[in-house]
Amino acid sequence: MLEAATAPEAAVAVSAHLLSSSPSVVVAADEPAALGRGAAVAVGLGVPLLLPGAATAQEVRRLGAEEVLTVGPAAATWAEQALTERGDPDVEEAGDPRPAPAEGGAGTVVLVTGAPWEAAAAATARAAGAQVLTVPSGDPRADGAVVEALHTAAPQHVVGLGPAFAAQDVFASRVEVAVTGVQLPGGGQLPLAGRRLVALYGHPGAASLGLLGEQPLEATLERARELASRYDGLDERPAVPTLEIITTVASGSPGPDGDYSNEADPAELEPWVDAAGEAGVAVVLDLQPGRSDFLTQAKLYESLLRRPHVGLALDPEWRLAPDQVHLRQIGSVGAQEVNAVGDWLAGLVREESLPQKVFLLHQFRSSMVRDRDLVDTTRDELVTVVHADGHGTPGMKKTTYGVLTAGGPPGLEWGWKNFLDEDRPTFTPAETVAVDPSPVFVSYQ
């Protein structure tokens, strides 16, 4: 990543990074008309475009330029005042632009946000033969077109310009993921970037546990797509069909292992997970661990979580203490256990260079996630969602949602569950979107 706070600094930074020398330099006044013409001249000649600034004269000398071509009166005035040392290049007004050559090879890619102050730096990058890609958010994983372009380019060197891009280690990791070209359902590599996941909740073949289990696999995928389509056009977020699969199901009896949880065989879920991915449907695996713990159970499904489109949900209602039983007590989990799972899952993402994953916490009481303000939401590999899954009247649900969204660490996203039978009445898609804050993960049970 190149650090630059101003347009002249950015132009110098890119020039210094990409070029060891140049016979000519174009210096343009920092105003739209001059910048546009200066960029055309510089790219046509294959030389850097610089702007009047404190470090510009030094960069001209470092490049060993024999001439400086100016565009605009302010650039000419600057050159007369700044290039006065013995051996400084000749200064003259730039001529007409030459036709720009075809975009350079894939050896170097420079990422910019598209801000006006980057114009000269971007022109210098193009003149040096680099490919320039615009990443408004500063995260190359956010845009499917950028991901595809980076994958196609297979660059040897990628540079991010300016403070919008992350620190070097995070930036390098993001680029490594983007270059894989893997795209999530809905495009890009950030599951909640400008979109909303709309999910069928339940367990395959178990109609009593939710909508997901009420029909066979192909019909489930079609139902998920139809449900998500009801949210399209309600706001600026397109909807992505999703399956939230209860992977370990809370049990009223201890079972052979004594943990009050029935763990599904990963091989039985594999056809559902893979078919969803092929159909452009996201997947979240939901854990109800009973007297086991979330990390132990999550590791059972590592093979599925290595799929790019698969996230993870923790359901603390069903996380029991050693002396508790389901439906007699409501379970809970502490931040330490949540963070242990998050650390493990983030490590898996790094190991496989995977897109960011949804990391979802179900909650309808504050007591269900103890010390929630200590939950780590800073992992770049995960997006953490608190999912309000209480049922009842609209007033009850809104009150619960208000309490849950009032606290917690910065960086949390918010989810909402609609119950077709228990809610009185069930929120419509428009009513769901209108909840404040508008949920980015909506599930149906």
Side-chain angles (χ1 to χ4, degrees):
M1 188 191 79
L2 299 182
E3 294 185 2
T6 67
E9 289 176 0
V12 167
V14 171
S15 174
H17 190 76
L18 297 181
L19 297 168
S20 59
S21 63
S22 180
S24 302
V25 172
V26 177
V27 177
D30 192 2
E31 53 89 15
L35 276 173
R37 186 165 180 271
V41 171
V43 174
L45 293 174
V47 301
L49 172 63
L50 302 179
L51 303 174
T56 301
Q58 182 179 349
E59 177 61 10
V60 169
R61 295 174 186 126
R62 185 196 69 81
L63 290 166
E66 298 175 1
E67 65 175 355
V68 170
L69 307 175
T70 64
V71 181
T77 299
W78 171 88
E80 290 176 2
Q81 297 173 347
L83 300 175
T84 59
E85 295 184 6
R86 183 184 181 92
D88 277 347
D90 296 332
V91 177
E92 61 181 85
E93 185 177 348
D96 293 332
R98 299 178 183 178
E103 193 164 67
T108 298
V109 173
V110 176
L111 305 182
V112 299
T113 66
W117 66 273
E118 301 166 335
T124 294
R126 292 189 177 95
Q131 183 178 358
V132 177
L133 297 176
T134 301
V135 185
S137 70
D139 189 337
R141 303 172 299 171
D143 189 313
V146 171
V147 170
E148 177 60 27
L150 283 170
H151 177 65
T152 300
Q156 299 173 355
H157 188 49
V158 180
V159 179
L161 179 61
F165 294 94
Q168 184 58 43
D169 56 341
V170 176
F171 176 75
S173 178
R174 290 175 175 181
V175 169
E176 182 180 354
V177 174
V179 169
T180 67
V182 173
Q183 304 249 5
L184 295 174
Q189 298 177 327
L190 301 180
L192 296 177
R195 69 194 65 167
R196 173 179 290 109
L197 301 189
V198 179
L200 294 180
Y201 177 88
H203 184 80
S208 62
L209 295 178
L211 277 64
L212 185 148
E214 293 182 349
Q215 59 281 305
L217 173 55
E218 288 303 322
T220 297
L221 297 175
E222 179 56 35
R223 189 174 185 182
R225 284 190 288 263
E226 190 280 327
L227 182 62
S229 71
R230 302 181 194 178
Y231 282 78
D232 284 332
L234 295 179
D235 62 6
E236 71 282 358
R237 291 180 176 270
V240 176
T242 304
L243 304 184
E244 186 177 357
I245 302 175
I246 309 174
T247 307
T248 62
V249 183
S251 172
S253 59
D257 55 8
D259 66 3
Y260 289 83
S261 178
N262 295 322
E263 298 86 0
D265 186 337
E268 295 178 0
L269 299 179
E270 200 170 83
W272 287 71
V273 170
D274 290 344
E278 293 169 4
V281 176
V283 173
V284 175
L285 303 181
D286 182 84
L287 303 180
Q288 300 178 354
R291 293 184 183 177
S292 182
D293 64 88
F294 284 117
L295 182 57
T296 297
Q297 288 204 333
K299 289 180 176 180
L300 297 176
Y301 302 96
E302 179 177 334
S303 62
L304 300 179
L305 290 166
R306 288 180 182 272
R307 269 76 162 175
H309 65 294
V310 180
L312 183 65
L314 312 184
D315 201 340
E317 177 184 2
W318 312 107
R319 169 64 170 96
L320 299 177
D323 60 344
Q324 290 183 327
V325 177
H326 294 304
L327 301 180
R328 295 183 188 173
Q329 295 91 14
I330 293 175
S332 65
V333 67
Q336 184 176 3
E337 184 173 331
V338 173
N339 288 337
V341 180
D343 289 343
W344 174 81
L345 187 61
L348 195 66
V349 172
R350 288 193 300 272
E351 180 183 332
E352 296 288 330
S353 295
L354 295 172
Q356 190 181 66
K357 287 190 179 295
V358 169
F359 185 44
L360 189 147
L361 304 176
H362 285 284
Q363 189 176 17
F364 59 84
R365 288 187 179 181
S366 299
S367 60
M368 287 171 57
V369 183
R370 304 186 303 277
D371 301 318
R372 197 182 69 177
D373 58 322
L374 300 180
V375 170
D376 185 356
T377 61
T378 64
R379 303 178 193 85
D380 200 51
E381 301 85 0
L382 309 178
V383 55
T384 305
V385 182
V386 170
H387 187 265
D389 62 354
H391 56 76
T393 66
M396 293 167 59
K397 290 174 72 77
K398 286 185 176 181
T399 297
T400 298
Y401 194 62
V403 170
L404 294 177
T405 58
L412 286 178
E413 300 285 355
W414 304 103
W416 177 277
K417 180 179 282 190
N418 284 321
F419 292 80
L420 295 189
D421 295 329
E422 291 87 352
D423 285 342
R424 303 184 301 275
T426 303
F427 276 54
T428 67
E431 291 168 337
T432 303
V433 168
V435 171
D436 185 24
S438 187
V440 296
F441 189 104
V442 179
S443 65
Y444 280 79
Q445 183 172 348

